[in-house]
Amino acid sequence: MSDLFDRLSALFEDGHARDVEGLITDISFTDPERATDAAVLIAVVEREPEPGIILTQRPNSMRDHPGQVAFPGGKLEPGEDAVTGALREAEEELAIPPQAVRVIGTSDLYHTGTGFAVTPVLGVVQPDLAITPDPREVAAWFEAPVSLLLDPDSWTERSATWKGRKRRYLDMDYEGFRIWGVTAAIIANLAKRVDVNRLRSSRGSP
């Protein structure tokens, strides 16, 4: 059994067993009744001494969120649930076989201002995956440390006027990649469910 999988699973279950305040959403900028269902895979790499999370940069040619840093993911196909859709997208974008992902569970639904209802799927993968990005969907990919992404102090809060209203968002520069918007919000929400300090302190526990 994977030590990281076990620790993350316990923290994930504990974090979702209680109500949390301050979850980020852009639901006020969209019509949730007309939202398109989507899912993303938050793939945590069991890398020592520091686990990482796989992120991609979308090509500038894409219609939705061009050039932005994102999780592997996309729209659900008819009949798919979030887990199936997230695993399919990860295989299409990065050639990650579905059987290589140990799924922990689904986290809080995130409504984007562009009309998507996104379900994040958390899972663990091994560090020896032969990742092969599809250039039509992925311009680049990288890993960022879990301890950095899930630490609220790592993020800068900014604001901008969007659709005629003030919108607050989180922002981070990681080795030349700007992580912000939907991806940053999903990470921030997950951080309210998975306490990074408890994850650190549980390392090496039986």
Side-chain angles (χ1 to χ4, degrees), residues 24 26 157-160 166-170:
I24 303 173
D26 277 333
E157 183 174 311
R158 305 187 189 278
S159 64
K166 189 174 184 179
R167 176 178 181 263
R168 290 184 173 86
Y169 64 93
L170 298 175

Side-chain angles (χ1 to χ4, degrees), residues 22-202:
L23 291 173
I24 303 173
T25 179
D26 277 333
I27 196 169
S28 64
F29 288 91
T30 188
D31 179 0
E33 298 297 323
R34 301 179 63 183
T36 300
D37 290 329
V40 297
L41 178 65
I42 305 176
V44 181
V45 183
E46 192 172 16
R47 190 178 301 284
E48 294 296 340
E50 176 64 72
I53 290 179
I54 295 175
L55 293 166
T56 70
Q57 185 174 45
R58 297 165 67 86
N60 289 323
S61 58
M62 296 197 79
R63 183 182 65 180
D64 297 315
H65 308 288
Q68 291 190 14
V69 168
F71 295 109
K75 302 174 188 176
L76 298 187
E77 294 185 349
E80 281 188 329
D81 60 18
V83 172
T84 303
L87 295 179
R88 173 185 54 77
E89 288 283 349
E91 183 172 32
E92 291 176 0
E93 293 182 19
L94 297 174
I96 297 176
Q99 64 270 22
V101 183
R102 297 191 67 191
V103 174
I104 291 174
T106 59
S107 196
D108 298 285
L109 185 70
Y110 182 81
H111 283 273
T112 76
T114 51
F116 292 93
V118 183
T119 299
V121 177
L122 183 66
V124 173
V125 298
Q126 294 300 305
D128 57 354
L129 285 176
I131 292 178
T132 306
D134 182 342
R136 296 171 298 180
E137 299 191 70
V138 178
W141 73 275
F142 61 100
E143 286 181 35
V146 169
S147 61
L148 177 73
L149 295 182
L150 295 186
D151 185 348
D153 292 335
S154 299
W155 298 89
T156 300
E157 183 174 311
R158 305 187 189 278
S159 64
T161 301
W162 191 55
K163 293 187 176 181
R165 284 186 288 156
K166 189 174 184 179
R167 176 178 181 263
R168 290 184 173 86
Y169 64 93
L170 298 175
D171 194 355
M172 175 197 297
D173 181 86
Y174 176 73
E175 296 188 352
F177 291 98
R178 184 189 181 204
I179 309 172
W180 69 292
V182 173
T183 302
I186 289 174
I187 293 170
N189 287 347
L190 182 64
K192 292 181 180 297
R193 301 293 190 180
V194 177
D195 187 332
V196 70
N197 291 317
R198 290 180 61 192
L199 182 62
R200 291 190 189 110
S201 64
S202 67

